[in-house]
Amino acid sequence: MERLVLKRKEFMLFQAFIYEHIGISLGEHKIYLVQARLAKRVKQLGLESFGAYYDFLVADKRGGELEYLSSLISTNVTSFFREAKQWEFLKQKLHEILEQRGGKLRIWSAACSSGEEPYSLAMFLKEHLPRDKTYDIKILATDVSSKVLKIATQGIYSHKACNNLDAHYIERYFSSLYHNQEPAYQIDERLKKMVLFREFNLVTGNYDLFKSTAFDIIFCRNVMIYFDKPTQNGLVEKFFSLLNKEGYLFIGSSEALTDMKKGFQSKSASIYQKV
Ligand SMILES: C[S@@+](CC[C@H](N)C(=O)[O-])C[C@H]1O[C@@H](n2cnc3c(N)ncnc32)[C@H](O)[C@@H]1O
């Protein structure tokens, strides 16, 4: 089969479609990246051109292809306890936050990928909260991709994915099994029960769903980097209104709120507090 070439006109169609439906803003220079990432899918579907794939995408009213496209365009790279300094900060503040909130804690891992981030939160809470007390804690974990959410819900991770976890976390919170003929670890049911996984698009999603929830902590790490300034701005405003007063927003270390942190005070590396 001939090598597929993404024409500029076709690229512009994908650029507009991806921006409107996923929120990801692709500069002109991303034409080769889009070509490389979509070519395999075009061939897999037996289509002859990127234009034909675009028509297929637009005609797919159920949205399955949109989701597939989003997994091709954005990266799902994640890991347990990513950004060590942020966990250190949370450790210092946890008891203060819980005291202020009367033992109730609502956490949202927005763009949770395959679950390492929300399960790190669950393990962190198990480690740092006294066992003889009961708390009312809920962790909501969302992502646009049902593919990663399926992995997250299963909670099965390769040994490589657990490489950076201390051995005692593996002992306490995982069991060993074989998955796809490879040795793997499965996260404990106690932790699974602490996390509610849901599909949610941060850009086009209906935020009315959260009307009755106010969060104390929002993790939105390593996803805003794909969005342009107006989209990031809109998102930060939404997070602001969804947080309780004095609630915290954690973002990725290569991201910054700089000119859009209205009402947020910078507390530490990529951590902001609603004041
Ligand atoms: C690089 S991962 C970050 C995972 C985790 N937050 C971390 O920092 O390790 C980015 C995630 O954002 C998700 N994503 C991309 N666009 C999104 C959107 N519009 N709404 C919700 N999630 C999105 C991707 O599916 C991917 O799982």
Side-chain angles (χ1 to χ4, degrees):
M1 192 184 240
E2 262 181 62
R3 190 172 156 259
L4 285 169
V5 176
L6 177 63
K7 300 190 190 84
R8 219 185 99 71
K9 247 176 155 174
E10 292 169 332
F11 172 68
M12 284 165 71
L13 290 173
F14 283 107
Q15 205 181 20
F17 187 90
I18 289 167
Y19 183 65
E20 188 187 341
H21 295 279
I22 311 172
I24 294 177
S25 158
L26 298 163
E28 298 291 304
H29 61 290
K30 293 280 168 73
I31 186 165
Y32 300 109
L33 178 131
V34 174
Q35 176 177 292
R37 298 245 171 116
L38 303 193
K40 199 169 151 205
R41 182 64 175 157
V42 177
K43 287 181 192 164
Q44 204 177 49
L45 291 167
L47 299 171
E48 305 229 310
S49 67
F50 286 100
Y53 179 55
Y54 179 78
D55 294 340
F56 177 81
L57 188 64
V58 173
D60 173 44
K61 298 288 174 233
R62 283 190 306 131
E65 195 55 33
L66 167 66
E67 201 188 288
Y68 199 95
L69 176 74
S70 85
S71 68
L72 293 175
I73 294 299
S74 68
T75 155
N76 302 119
V77 172
T78 185
S79 56
F80 289 105
F81 292 105
R82 193 174 189 182
E83 323 253 8
K85 279 189 187 151
Q86 296 192 331
W87 295 99
E88 209 36 61
F89 177 90
L90 204 52
K91 193 166 143 190
Q92 320 242 315
K93 295 282 172 192
L94 182 64
H95 293 278
E96 183 187 311
I97 303 173
L98 270 165
E99 214 160 278
Q100 274 170 355
R101 302 282 304 131
K104 181 177 164 184
L105 198 56
R106 295 291 177 264
I107 307 177
W108 180 18
S109 164
C112 65
S113 192
S114 37
E116 285 87 334
E117 184 174 279
Y119 286 137
S120 298
L121 281 160
M123 285 189 273
F124 172 86
L125 293 168
K126 284 263 175 230
E127 287 289 299
H128 298 292
L129 290 179
R131 275 152 215 255
D132 55 343
K133 284 194 180 171
T134 47
Y135 298 94
D136 172 11
I137 297 180
K138 287 192 178 134
I139 303 170
L140 171 70
T142 61
D143 201 281
V144 70
S145 157
S146 64
K147 202 167 137 202
V148 288
L149 287 172
K150 204 169 151 201
I151 302 172
T153 324
Q154 267 194 330
I156 299 177
Y157 298 97
S158 66
H159 282 191
K160 194 169 157 222
C162 297
N163 254 353
N164 65 335
L165 270 178
D166 281 354
H168 90 270
Y169 280 96
I170 303 278
E171 273 162 38
R172 264 185 218 178
Y173 304 113
F174 292 84
S175 53
S176 293
L177 78 168
Y178 269 80
H179 183 63
N180 297 333
Q181 282 147 20
E182 295 285 334
Y185 295 120
Q186 178 156 38
I187 197 108
D188 206 287
E189 278 304 315
R190 287 173 302 153
L191 297 191
K192 275 194 184 177
K193 280 193 187 129
M194 293 172 71
V195 185
L196 177 69
F197 289 102
R198 284 283 177 274
E199 206 172 307
F200 186 72
N201 186 327
L202 288 168
V203 180
T204 60
N206 176 8
Y207 282 78
D208 284 350
L209 292 173
F210 302 110
K211 244 182 359 210
S212 57
T213 319
F215 295 100
D216 303 295
I217 296 169
I218 297 177
F219 270 52
C220 183
R221 307 188 306 167
N222 306 301
V223 62
M224 280 202 282
I225 200 161
Y226 299 109
F227 304 151
D228 66 359
K229 273 270 167 298
T231 311
Q232 291 181 359
N233 232 324
L235 206 50
V236 171
E237 271 171 27
K238 285 190 182 108
F239 291 149
F240 186 83
S241 64
L242 288 172
L243 276 169
N244 278 319
K245 195 161 177 284
E246 298 184 8
Y248 290 96
L249 172 64
F250 289 69
I251 64 174
S253 60
S254 49
E255 301 162 321
L257 297 195
T258 46
D259 49 333
M260 45 183 181
K261 65 173 190 226
K262 300 160 217 122
F264 277 115
Q265 199 173 71
S266 170
K267 297 311 277 185
S268 180
S270 315
I271 303 170
Y272 297 85
Q273 185 174 32
K274 174 171 173 172
V275 286

